[in-house]
Every structure is written in structure tokens, then in C-alpha cells.
Amino acid sequence: MRRSKPRVTLAAAVAFTAALSVSTALPAAAEPGTADSPLTAVIPAPAEVEADPGADYRLKPSTLVRTEPGSAAARAVGRQLADTLRPATGYPMPVVPAHGPANGISLLLDDVGDDLGREGYRLAVSPRGVTVRANTPAGLFAGSQTLRQLLPAAIDSDSRQHAAWTVPGGSITDHPRYDYRGAMLDIARHFHTPDEIKSYIDELARYKINHLHLHLTDDQGWRIEIESWPELTTVGGGPGTGVDGVGGGFLTKEDYRDLVSYAADRYITIVPEIDMPGHTNSALSTYAELNCDGVAPPPRTDMAVGYSSLCIDKEITYEFVEDVIQEIAELTPGPYLHIGGDEAHVTSEEEYRTFMRRAVPLVEKYGKRPFGWNEIVRAEPTTDTVAQYWGTATEHAEIADAVERGHQVIMSPANRTYLDMKYDEDTPLGLSWAGYIEVRDAYDWDPGAHVTGVGEDAVLGVEAPLWSETLRSLDHIEYMALPRLTAVAELGWSPRSSHDWPSFRERLAEQGPRWEARDAGFYRSPQVPWAE
Ligand code: TNX
């Protein structure tokens, strides 16, 4: 989606946003008939690539997007692809049922084998056209994201560009390593609007990330409408509820449903998080009865963590938790509901277990698979509970024991995947409690062998969380997420055997002009030989 970008910046960030001002220079058009990015210049790296330099295809004003006859979902993928190719090419790109001989771009549902699964695809480029075949529309969507990256960077511009729209000849066979490839956005510390979230979703889709975890509530703010507890958002979503009293806002149920459907159109599942029993000051300050002493504490917008807790011994706590879980579950078609569980520092171990032993079954009661930060395994919840590992250690007995009991794990080690950590000491935004994370740090680790006792089979996937204590605008989000988000995307999708920093940094360099073409800000890491 195209948007005008708000330019709200932290004082300290003003200089760097100016320095980042977007260049309008686009790469010169390649010679006619010559692809200017090789078939391998894709992030995440495809599983298999076979180049055929004699078989390039060039988009023409007459190119059709042909989709599987009778499949509305394939047609919808075709429409989205055509929508993304029209502005820069200026070609009409009609989307039509794929009858007759293949030419142009074809998106076909076909049996491409169990090995390619639900999201895999084959993409073949010949002088007559590009054909993507997949078992499901999700695979066609993944293949069409690859195709976008095979075209010159100018394809990402929203105005007509002069370029030879050449796709390099050959074929790609591709499928993901992990089912769950996620990103998290914290809209509690600073609220981010539905349009900003959609813009982030667009970025995720390009890199084949298929889950967006929304951190909806925290000490500072409550950012999702709950009808049975209506004051949560009038107080916790009001003005001045962002960190340091900056900003505010919340998602109405309608906003949330619209985001779910926007994400679903891009084969992304929303994972909602209501953090509990800690990180709840906004709820506690709104409803006095949720406090053990019946007294509402003042609202807080500082960055401290670990000071708040729902009252474990009061029955109303569980009525509240059930109402919230029920409403969120009803709004959410995806399988997961995240109940946080991190940093409950003022809750004793005994109380924490008591709480989680009641909260986790409520998630299941409303048909969702429980999800929590890794502390949740201390309560020995049902082994269906997904544990999100956010530690910095590579030895962690608690999580290893949980795997032994049968839990699946999402890998989000804070010193590798936390997009809110500074790149280095000069980064004007972000935090540094888990260290600095340069691009190579984000890339050079193996989710399936990172923590002793948490092997490949126990890993459901990876996720890159973006906490927003210091992030107030889409510019800030993009600057912290790009390029590291793409490193985590590659770890989640590409086969372990393809892992190669020299190759990754070269491919990453090609993304720079693409971000420039679409007016997305990014950090020009000195580790990457950025293309001009
Ligand atoms: C730790 S990670 C937190 C968050 C903070 C984040 C900042 C986790 C489960 N809890 O509350 O926002 O660090 O990096």
C-alpha cells in the first residue's frame, strides 16, 4: 500500500532522518533483453535455482497475467501481482483465466509434489513467459513475491519508469524451512496506526514472512477495543498514553478485523498478544477492582518493566481474563493467541503458576493454541503451548526441559532477532540491553541449533520482535527493521545448507535500491556493499 509518511521523529533522530533522505536516482535501465539481477538475487534465498541465460523473458505492454481457471484465490493473487507491476511499467496487465497456450505471466495450481508443501512453488522463466506452479494459492503468492524481486529495482516505484522489464531465464524450486516465520510489532508502547501496520505487512509479505504478532497491551497502553471492559481503551488508548506521554490511540474491533483481512490477503496470519499477568498497569489503573487492594495505581508511561501484576487471588481477575480472551479469540481467525507471561517480577513463582494454570486453559476453551514468552513453561502448561524464546543464552535448561516434555519453540533470541536493539553505539533509536545487533549478527546463527536441547524438530519457526519504546513513526520502524528483518526472514525460509553471509550481503545490497524506489527508510549498514 502507498501512504504518505508521517515525519514524526525523536529529536535525536532528526539528523539521521535527514541523512536518510530518499534518493530519487534509480538504476539505469539495463540493455534490452538483459536481466539486471540474476535469478539468485532473491531474499530469502530460494531452495534451488537453475539459471538459463538464453531464456530471459521481458514484460511487454501486451503481457497478460493468467491465473488458474475457476480459482478465485489464484485470481486474487494474480490481481495483487498485476497491481504491483502496473505503476512502474505503465502496462495494463489484465488478469485473465489461463486458457490456451502459456505466454506472459501464469499462476497455476498444480500438483507440484508433497515436498513443496503448502507454501512451496516452482517458477520457470522462458522467452515466452514466467510460469509459477504451486499446490495452493499461498504457494502462488510466495512465487509472485520472488518474481517481483527478479525484475529491476525500479519495479517498486509508484510512477512510470523507463527500464527493460527483464526476468532472468531459468527455474526456481522453492519451499520454506519453517512453517512459522514471524515479525512482532509493539503497538502498546507507542501506538502505530492501521495504515502504518499495513505498510509493515507489505514489507513482511515481500520476504515471505507469514505471521504478524501484534503486542496489543502493556503497562503504558491498552490498544484493542474490548466491549465487555470498555474503559480499557478510553483510558489506556487515550491521548498521551505512549512512552513519555507521546501519542496514543487504539484499534477498534473494526480496525482489527480489517487488518486481519489485509494480512490474510497477503497470506499473513495475525497473532494477537494480551500480555499478562505482568505488563498490565494500563488495565490496573483503569479498573480498580483488578487490584488486590482495590485501589487503582496511577497510569504510567515510563519505560520500567516488571512492576505490575493482575491480582492472582481475586476471582474477578479470571472473569476479566476470560472476557478478554473470548473477545480476542472471536476476532481472530488464526490458530494462536499469545498471553505474554514475561517479566512478571512482582508475581511469586507460586502465584505465576496458579495464574497460568487458569489462563492457559481459557485460551484453549475458546479454540486457540496458547502462546507465551518462554517464562510460561515454568507453569508446566499443556505441551501444546508454544514457547517464544527471547533469552540471550545458548544454554537454557528451562526451555530445553520444555522441549523434552514436547513443547514447540519460536526462536526470538534477543541478541539476534530484536529489531529494537541498536545496530551500534551511534544508532539514534532503540535500546541496547541485549547488545548491539549489526546485520551479520542478525543473520549468522542457526535457529535449529542455537540453544542446546532445542533442535530443528522442536523449532516451529523464528520471529523478529520490534518493541517500540523509542519508535514513534513508520520511519522509525523501517529504520530499525530494514535490513535486519530480511536476515530473520531468510533464516526462517531458506534451507540451512544455503546459509552463507557473503551471498546474503551481496543479495541484500540489491534490496537498497528497491527500498529507495518505494520510499522505505533503511539503515545503510557498513557491512553491506549497497548497490548505487
Ligand atoms: C523485554 S522481550 C521485554 C519487553 C521490552 C523489551 C525491549 C520481552 C518478552 N519483554 O517488555 O519492550 O525487552 O527490548
Side-chain angles (χ1 to χ4, degrees), residues 323-444:
D323 288 341
V324 171
I325 286 176
Q326 179 176 8
E327 291 195 35
I328 298 290
E330 283 169 2
L331 276 178
T332 303
Y336 306 110
L337 201 157
H338 201 308
I339 53 171
D342 58 314
E343 298 174 320
H345 299 157
V346 290
T347 318
S348 72
E349 205 146 306
E350 176 74 27
E351 288 175 327
Y352 185 83
R353 291 165 73 92
T354 302
F355 178 83
M356 283 301 175
R357 286 179 176 188
R358 294 193 64 178
V360 168
L362 290 172
V363 175
E364 295 190 308
K365 176 174 173 185
Y366 292 99
K368 297 299 170 191
R369 185 167 175 194
F371 209 127
W373 297 105
N374 54 251
E375 289 96 317
I376 203 168
V377 303
R378 292 183 193 157
E380 298 190 5
T382 161
T383 53
D384 205 34
T385 305
V386 179
Q388 183 166 12
Y389 182 69
W390 63 281
T392 54
T394 53
E395 301 285 334
H396 196 283
E398 225 168 63
I399 198 79
D401 289 350
V403 165
E404 191 71 30
R405 293 197 298 276
H407 286 276
Q408 283 189 302
V409 178
I410 294 293
M411 292 300 295
S412 299
N415 52 344
R416 300 287 186 170
T417 66
Y418 269 33
L419 302 178
D420 63 313
M421 291 300 117
K422 291 175 184 287
Y423 294 95
D424 64 22
E425 61 196 13
D426 296 328
T427 309
L429 299 166
L431 307 175
S432 56
W433 67 264
Y436 301 130
I437 306 181
E438 248 296 355
V439 179
R440 187 168 186 170
D441 304 311
Y443 180 73
D444 254 346

Side-chain angles (χ1 to χ4, degrees), residues 117-392:
R118 208 182 63 81
E119 295 178 292
Y121 64 91
R122 282 188 216 288
L123 182 151
V125 184
S126 77
R128 286 168 55 210
V130 180
T131 302
V132 182
R133 294 176 193 274
N135 292 320
T136 72
L140 296 179
F141 185 78
S144 54
Q145 299 314 310
T146 299
L147 173 55
R148 293 170 74 185
Q149 287 189 40
L150 294 174
L151 284 158
I155 198 68
D156 284 342
S157 174
D158 61 3
S159 62
R160 194 165 174 177
Q161 304 292 307
H162 295 286
W165 303 112
T166 305
V167 186
S171 62
I172 290 177
T173 303
D174 201 9
H175 62 95
R177 175 175 174 184
Y178 296 115
D179 287 343
Y180 186 112
R181 302 166 314 274
M184 187 209 83
L185 186 61
D186 171 11
I187 64 167
R189 270 54 176 275
H190 281 108
F191 182 62
H192 303 291
T193 64
D195 277 355
E196 292 171 331
I197 299 170
K198 286 180 180 176
S199 188
Y200 201 48
I201 288 174
D202 289 347
E203 213 53 60
L204 304 181
R206 289 170 183 272
Y207 300 106
K208 305 187 175 76
I209 288 175
N210 64 355
H211 289 81
L212 173 62
H213 165 183
L214 288 175
H215 184 76
L216 295 165
T217 64
D218 214 299
D219 290 317
Q220 299 84 351
W222 188 284
R223 312 285 180 204
I224 179 76
E225 176 185 0
I226 301 292
E227 284 167 77
S228 53
W229 296 76
E231 300 299 315
L232 287 169
T233 44
T234 52
V235 179
T241 51
V243 162
D244 293 341
V246 175
F250 66 93
L251 300 176
T252 63
K253 286 194 164 181
E254 210 35 57
D255 291 333
Y256 183 89
R257 283 193 200 96
D258 179 55
L259 284 171
V260 164
S261 108
Y262 188 90
D265 287 345
R266 288 149 186 81
Y267 294 89
I268 291 176
T269 301
I270 300 285
V271 180
E273 179 188 350
I274 305 292
D275 205 347
M276 55 181 94
H279 289 278
T280 44
N281 194 64
S282 69
L284 296 167
S285 64
T286 305
Y287 286 103
E289 60 268 44
L290 295 177
N291 296 272
C292 289
D293 61 5
V295 178
R300 282 178 62 165
T301 61
D302 57 281
M303 284 170 38
V305 294
Y307 61 83
S308 58
S309 180
L310 294 172
C311 184
I312 309 303
D313 296 334
K314 269 184 154 178
E315 222 24 58
I316 193 168
T317 293
Y318 303 96
E319 289 164 24
F320 169 76
V321 167
E322 179 159 4
D323 288 341
V324 171
I325 286 176
Q326 179 176 8
E327 291 195 35
I328 298 290
E330 283 169 2
L331 276 178
T332 303
Y336 306 110
L337 201 157
H338 201 308
I339 53 171
D342 58 314
E343 298 174 320
H345 299 157
V346 290
T347 318
S348 72
E349 205 146 306
E350 176 74 27
E351 288 175 327
Y352 185 83
R353 291 165 73 92
T354 302
F355 178 83
M356 283 301 175
R357 286 179 176 188
R358 294 193 64 178
V360 168
L362 290 172
V363 175
E364 295 190 308
K365 176 174 173 185
Y366 292 99
K368 297 299 170 191
R369 185 167 175 194
F371 209 127
W373 297 105
N374 54 251
E375 289 96 317
I376 203 168
V377 303
R378 292 183 193 157
E380 298 190 5
T382 161
T383 53
D384 205 34
T385 305
V386 179
Q388 183 166 12
Y389 182 69
W390 63 281
T392 54

